[in-house]
């Protein structure tokens, strides 16, 4: 009997273990369907490649020089502030920050911005975009996106259940296309894209990657359509302080009838050359912002306190110095103006034709005049510019970004002969890029 | 709970009100962590974008610390995601793995964001309350338990996941190995996922042990474990957290991350990485913050419990975490407020107005069906006792 009991106990134990080990991986679909079709990401792919090949990096948009001293000092001061600087602050935005943003932007927008109702602070402008799409776009809504566009707009529309409808900026007919100002939006083409399902239009000015700074008349044309068809406008203005050659940044929210239907998005990272701080914001009428706050409180809830305090101090300083030569908002575009010229001349020096950007971080250049034998059968099915950029990283050690990544699937093949350079870099980086281009050009001409 | 926070935050923001409600410390963080942050900001590269799924020094530090804790190698690039707080990890997990038609089991009382996040993912929350052992005058968080039959009955063919939180907010209960095994058996039997919110994992009081459900057989491959720098280093305002799990789950959270905020702040991640590596060296020693913080809070916990008892109320001694439940029924306080409101809400409003003391009503952490079981409790944060004189005075009811 003892042996039988012993065996029974052993069998029970074995059965228990086998139940525990039985299903160690799930047999059904694990992921949520909203993650389908949005899993590829150009930045993840190319940032990794640039790092792997230790390329001279003119790809991803971040400065390789330091942020201005006054802003890093403000951060350090916040860090050594009392315990509250290291604990949760107000979820929709640190009071000091929303107040300084409201004060600063009210006079620019021409509207009394309520710091607590009309502003939401987010983890970078990226999260502000996410909140806008999640809060305001529903299944079946159409969103008009002007191409070329910062690539995240499209997956964000998809994730919100919406449908992206594209309208491209096109180079003006009959003129040499030398500047981003030569790329225009056709009013008829834009109007033709609007349907009863259209909920919003997304614009980005200054534009990434092209560098176009929309003129007042162009924004007025868009505004007229928004008002006529009762649309929302998401205006991504992260590069708002970076305009060159006298181009003026105009806020569409400042046009008549637009404050009540526009979400304007800004970035502390781009404003103060500290992209790694990830402090951004959305500004707009409280009756729209309140829905974005709901998304925010159910996804992130709070943003880091000390970084917000530092950006607040930055805006306080800029408020005092606005319009004067000491203002960082004067000094940064002046410095970048020269970097822009430097890169353009390096590209022209090797026979490439850059499109001079009126604003922003980037310059695109047409590469169709260069013949390259890729030899890489792995990338055979990819767009030409993707193959070119990968080849340029691997063979020449220069990192850029393919411009068709900023186009819809429908139009990407039309625009696959451009690559994008970031010129917001130290002179030494731009010199290194110039070296590579010169050597490459010399190799070519010696064949 | 959000309605509560919106309504009560302004009441409690009155500077004359002592706020024992919020879940953040008013003790300073360790100085080396603040120094590491200031130092990071002085390095140019640290002020620019880092790797989207987590700053390499941080994911490597997490992989080392948790590799040691889990007793298994953890791939820093494929099995770790850095997020904006534990909150951001919960969101990425829900958005990545839960959808319309799914059911998600939530144990009550629960950190209040679980329900809106489940709903935002299109799924249905299914509740199971922790129950108080009968006949026991509730004294510690260990007196609450999960009924095995009741739990088992909540699993259906639609169940996608169960969310557990150990140590628990607000009760402070630490799920025992047996309880976790029971949950694990059900997860395996019904082929579900487990989301384990372990943000208070280091705040374990004497005699208790924190067990990671992901270390039980068959669980690594179906569990996302969530941690928090804010709770680990008393820097809730840094809003950094992490999800750890198998690649085939983490990659969906990474997809969500790259489509929501892309990357977390660099200098903060750098500083947390350094804090983790420093304490990794000190594990087992008295200076290790992973254990010294718990010791410091335990003393405060005991003093708070004594004050509460002197005031005629009954504390529920927590086994872990930041919080303590207090049973206020012995005070028999009557209010003439709205009769539909739960008792704890009425009590807290009264306490703020009349006694200048703020706390959180515990029914904010339960579904409507469990209100009656929890409305005699309020939640206090244990650490505030440097102001114990004020508290005693206020509590002399």
């Amino acid at each position: 009997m003892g042996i039988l009991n012993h065996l029974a106990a052993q069998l029970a134990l074995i059965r228990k273990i086998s139940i525990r080990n039985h299903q160690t991986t799930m047999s059904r679909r694990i992921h949520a369907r909203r993650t389908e079709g949005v899993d590829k990401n150009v930045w993840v792919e190319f940032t990794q490649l640039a790092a792997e090949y230790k390329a001279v990096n003119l790809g991803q948009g971040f400065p390789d020089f330091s942020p201005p001293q006054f802003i890093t000092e403000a951060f350090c001061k916040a860090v050594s502030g009392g315990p509250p600087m290291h604990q949760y602050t107000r979820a929709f935005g640190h009071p000091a920050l929303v107040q300084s943003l409201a004060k600063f932007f009210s006079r620019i927008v021409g509207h009394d911005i309520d710091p607590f109702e009309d502003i939401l602070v987010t983890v970078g402008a990226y999260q502000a975009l996410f909140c806008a799409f999640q809060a305001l776009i529903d299944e079946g809504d159409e969103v008009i996106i002007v191409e070329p566009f910062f690539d995240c707009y499209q997956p964000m529309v998809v994730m919100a259940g919406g449908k992206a409808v594209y309208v491209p900026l096109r180079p003006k007919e009959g003129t040499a296309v030398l500047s981003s100002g030569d790329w225009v939006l056709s009013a008829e083409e834009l109007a033709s894209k609007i349907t009863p399902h259209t909920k919003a239009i997304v614009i980005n000015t200054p534009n990434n990657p092209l560098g176009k700074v929309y003129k007042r008349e162009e924004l007025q044309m868009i505004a007229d359509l928004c008002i006529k068809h009762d649309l929302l406008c998401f205006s991504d203005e992260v590069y708002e302080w970076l305009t060159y050659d006298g181009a003026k940044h105009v806020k569409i929210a400042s046009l008549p009838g637009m404050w009540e239907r526009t979400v304007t998005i800004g970035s502390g990272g781009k404003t103060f050359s500290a992209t790694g701080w990830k402090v951004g914001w959305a500004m707009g009428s409280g009756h729209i912002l309140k829905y974005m706050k709901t998304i925010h409180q159910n996804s992130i809830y709070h943003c880091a306190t000390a970084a917000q305090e530092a950006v607040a101090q930055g805006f306080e300083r800029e408020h005092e110095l606005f319009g004067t030569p000491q203002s960082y908002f004067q000094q940064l575009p002046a410095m970048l103006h020269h970097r822009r010229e430097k890169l353009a001349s390096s590209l022209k020096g090797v026979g490439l034709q850059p499109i001079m950007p009126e604003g922003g971080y980037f310059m695109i250049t047409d590469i169709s005049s260069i013949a390259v034998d890729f030899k890489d059968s792995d990338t055979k099915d990819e767009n030409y510019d993707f193959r070119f950029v990968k080849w340029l990283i691997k063979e020449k050690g220069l990192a850029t970004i393919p411009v068709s990544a900023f186009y819809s699937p429908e139009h990407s093949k039309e625009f696959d002969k451009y690559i994008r350079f970031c010129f917001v870099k130290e002179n030494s980086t731009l010199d290194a890029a110039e070296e590579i281009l010169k050597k490459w050009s010399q190799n070519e001409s010696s064949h | 709970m959000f309605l509560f926070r919106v309504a009560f935050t302004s009441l409690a923001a009155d500077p004359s009100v002592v706020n024992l409600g919020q879940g953040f410390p008013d003790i300073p963080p360790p100085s080396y962590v603040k120094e590491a942050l200031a130092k990071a900001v002085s390095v140019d590269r640290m002020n620019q974008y880092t790797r989207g799924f987590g700053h390499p020094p941080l994911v490597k530090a997490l992989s080392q610390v948790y590799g040691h804790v889990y007793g298994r190698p953890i791939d820093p690039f494929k099995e770790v995601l850095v997020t904006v707080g534990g909150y951001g990890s919960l969101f990425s997990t829900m958005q990545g793995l839960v959808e319309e038609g799914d059911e998600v089991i939530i144990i009550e009382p629960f950190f209040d964001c679980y329900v809106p996040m489940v709903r935002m993912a299109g799924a249905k929350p299914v509740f199971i309350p922790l129950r108080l052992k009968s006949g026991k005058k509730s004294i510690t968080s260990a007196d609450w338990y999960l009924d095995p039959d009741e739990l088992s009955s909540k699993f259906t063919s639609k169940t996608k996941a169960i969310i557990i939180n150990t140590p628990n907010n607000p009760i402070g209960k630490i799920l025992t190995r047996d309880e976790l095994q029971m949950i694990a058996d059900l997860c395996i039997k019904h082929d579900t996922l487990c989301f384990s919110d372990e943000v208070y994992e280091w705040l374990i009081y004497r005699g208790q042990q924190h067990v990671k459900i992901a270390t039980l057989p068959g669980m690594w491959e179906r569990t996302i474990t969530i941690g928090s720098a804010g709770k680990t280093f008393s820097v809730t305002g840094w809003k950094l957290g992490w999800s750890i799990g198998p690649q085939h789950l983490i990659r969906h959270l990474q997809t969500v991350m790259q489509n929501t905020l892309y990357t977390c702040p660099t200098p903060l991640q750098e500083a947390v990485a350094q804090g983790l590596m420093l304490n990794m060296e000190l594990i087992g020693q008295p200076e290790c913050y992973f254990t010294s913080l718990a010791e410091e809070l335990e003393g405060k916990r005991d003093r708070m419990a004594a004050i509460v008892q002197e005031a005629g109320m009954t504390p529920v001694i927590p086994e872990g975490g930041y919080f303590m439940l207090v049973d206020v029924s012995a005070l028999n306080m009557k209010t003439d407020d709205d009769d539909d409101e739960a008792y704890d809400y009425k009590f807290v409003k009264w306490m703020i107005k009349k006694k200048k003391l703020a706390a959180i009503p515990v029914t904010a952490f339960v579904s409507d069906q469990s209100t009656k079981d929890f409305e005699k409790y309020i939640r206090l944060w244990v650490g505030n006792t440097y102001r114990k004189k004020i508290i005693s005075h206020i509590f002399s009811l």
Side-chain angles (χ1 to χ4, degrees), chain A residues 193-222:
Chain A
K193 302 288 181 172
I194 298 173
T195 77
H197 296 293
T198 309
K199 186 79 179 284
I201 174 168
V202 186
I203 63 171
N204 173 218
T205 179
N207 170 275
N208 171 9
L210 188 55
K212 177 180 176 62
V213 174
Y214 286 69
K215 299 184 182 46
R216 185 174 287 274
E217 314 83 77
E218 291 173 306
L219 294 173
Q220 191 61 63
M221 183 265 287
I222 296 169

Side-chain angles (χ1 to χ4, degrees), chain B residues 157-388:
Chain B
S157 58
K158 298 203 173 99
T159 308
K160 189 68 177 286
I162 175 170
I163 306 176
I164 65 172
N165 175 217
T166 178
N168 167 277
N169 172 9
I171 297 186
K173 176 179 173 59
I174 298 177
L175 290 167
T176 64
R177 184 176 287 275
D178 286 343
E179 287 170 319
L180 293 172
Q181 189 60 67
M182 169 188 53
I183 295 167
D185 288 343
L186 285 163
C187 285
I188 292 167
K189 177 177 175 186
H190 294 276
D191 197 21
T192 71
L193 296 171
C194 179
F195 304 157
S196 186
D197 176 352
E198 300 182 18
V199 296
Y200 301 106
E201 60 185 307
W202 306 112
L203 296 175
I204 310 295
Y205 301 126
R206 216 168 340 170
Q208 309 303 330
Q209 198 205 3
H210 173 71
V211 177
K212 287 184 163 309
I213 197 169
T215 58
L216 301 185
M219 288 307 286
W220 167 258
E221 29 279 61
R222 59 181 69 250
T223 305
I224 297 283
T225 306
I226 291 166
S228 158
K231 305 291 195 278
T232 298
F233 289 112
S234 308
V235 286
T236 62
W238 288 28
K239 286 292 294 195
L240 277 178
W242 43 81
S243 300
I244 294 179
Q247 182 187 3
H248 68 270
L249 296 182
I250 290 288
R251 70 190 183 100
H252 301 301
L253 279 65
Q254 289 176 335
T255 298
V256 173
M257 182 69 174
Q258 85 194 15
N259 289 302
T260 51
L261 51 100
Y262 193 74
T263 183
C264 292
T266 315
L268 295 167
Q269 294 189 68
E270 176 67 25
V272 172
Q274 291 185 24
L276 287 170
M277 291 314 292
L278 194 149
N279 281 290
M280 175 90 191
E281 300 297 307
L282 296 172
I283 283 180
Q285 294 173 45
E287 305 83 51
C288 180
Y289 199 71
F290 300 157
T291 39
S292 69
L293 177 62
E295 278 167 25
E296 188 183 345
L297 286 182
E298 187 170 337
K300 294 178 193 271
R301 175 196 75 168
D302 295 341
R303 285 199 292 281
M304 180 65 89
I307 293 170
V308 161
Q309 273 170 321
E310 275 168 39
M313 297 179 281
T314 311
V316 176
I317 310 294
E319 298 155 274
Y322 266 1
F323 307 108
M324 171 184 293
L325 291 201
V326 175
D327 178 344
V328 302
S329 51
L331 292 182
N332 215 17
M333 189 273 310
K334 299 264 183 284
T335 70
D336 23 47
D337 283 338
D338 173 16
D339 272 323
D340 279 343
E341 218 179 17
Y343 183 78
D344 54 351
Y345 271 71
K346 293 193 274 201
F347 186 91
V348 167
K349 276 188 191 165
W350 170 85
M351 202 168 70
I352 291 175
K353 281 196 196 132
K354 293 287 191 280
K355 292 290 166 185
K356 299 291 186 187
L357 192 61
I360 305 281
V362 171
T363 58
F365 299 88
V366 303
S367 65
D368 291 340
Q369 63 221 43
S370 299
T371 297
K372 289 273 163 273
D373 297 319
F374 289 93
E375 64 178 337
K376 61 183 186 176
Y377 298 102
I378 61 175
R379 184 194 83 171
L380 306 183
W381 139 247
V382 301
N384 256 329
T385 49
Y386 78 91
R387 291 193 268 189
K388 64 177 189 252

Side-chain angles (χ1 to χ4, degrees), chain A residues 44-111:
Chain A
V44 173
E45 194 182 357
F46 284 95
T47 307
Q48 237 169 267
L49 208 53
E52 208 181 305
Y53 285 85
K54 298 195 178 12
V56 172
N57 198 348
L58 301 191
Q60 196 183 6
F62 60 85
D64 63 3
F65 48 80
S66 55
Q69 202 174 337
F70 69 81
I71 204 80
T72 49
E73 273 169 12
F75 198 114
C76 289
K77 194 157 146 253
V79 169
S80 60
M85 279 294 124
H86 298 283
Q87 307 307 332
Y88 295 129
T89 184
R90 176 177 169 271
F92 302 135
H94 186 52
L97 178 55
V98 295
Q99 282 164 336
S100 68
L101 287 171
K103 188 169 79 180
F104 192 94
F105 284 100
S106 286
R107 61 179 175 185
I108 296 177
V109 173
H111 178 98

Side-chain angles (χ1 to χ4, degrees), chain A residues 19-35 38-41 43-44 47 60-67 72 75-76 79 81 83 85-88 123 126-127 130 134 155-156 159 270 273-278 295-306 426, chain B residues 2 5 23-25 27 29 34 37-38 41 44-45 47-49 53 84 87-88 91 94-99 116-117 120-121 157-160 181 185 188-193 217-218 221-222 231 234-239 248-249 252 255-256 258-268:
Chain A
I19 287 171
R20 283 177 197 169
N21 289 337
H22 172 56
Q23 271 176 314
T24 53
T25 51
M26 292 186 68
S27 50
R28 64 213 250 196
R29 186 189 64 236
I30 296 167
H31 62 276
R33 274 165 294 192
R34 68 178 70 80
T35 63
V38 298
D39 48 333
K40 289 249 176 301
N41 184 282
W43 308 110
V44 173
T47 307
Q60 196 183 6
F62 60 85
D64 63 3
F65 48 80
S66 55
T72 49
F75 198 114
C76 289
V79 169
M85 279 294 124
H86 298 283
Q87 307 307 332
Y88 295 129
V123 180
Y126 212 99
Q127 196 223 336
F130 177 73
Q134 286 285 312
M156 285 189 184
M159 241 177 108
K270 299 295 194 291
S273 308
T275 60
W277 289 16
K278 293 290 290 186
I295 300 299
H296 180 75
Q297 88 189 11
N298 287 305
S299 55
I300 299 302
Y301 199 35
H302 298 91
C303 299
T305 312
E426 292 273 35
Chain B
F2 292 114
R5 281 194 220 178
F24 58 81
I27 46 176
K34 290 192 290 180
L37 180 55
V41 170
D44 285 355
R45 191 65 189 84
N47 291 301
Q48 308 305 335
Y49 293 131
F53 304 144
V84 178
Y87 214 95
F91 182 71
M94 300 286 185
Q95 289 285 309
L97 302 172
V98 174
E99 61 180 351
M117 284 191 185
M120 218 176 124
S157 58
K158 298 203 173 99
T159 308
K160 189 68 177 286
Q181 189 60 67
D185 288 343
I188 292 167
K189 177 177 175 186
H190 294 276
D191 197 21
T192 71
L193 296 171
E221 29 279 61
R222 59 181 69 250
K231 305 291 195 278
S234 308
V235 286
T236 62
W238 288 28
K239 286 292 294 195
H248 68 270
L249 296 182
H252 301 301
T255 298
V256 173
Q258 85 194 15
N259 289 302
T260 51
L261 51 100
Y262 193 74
T263 183
C264 292
T266 315
L268 295 167

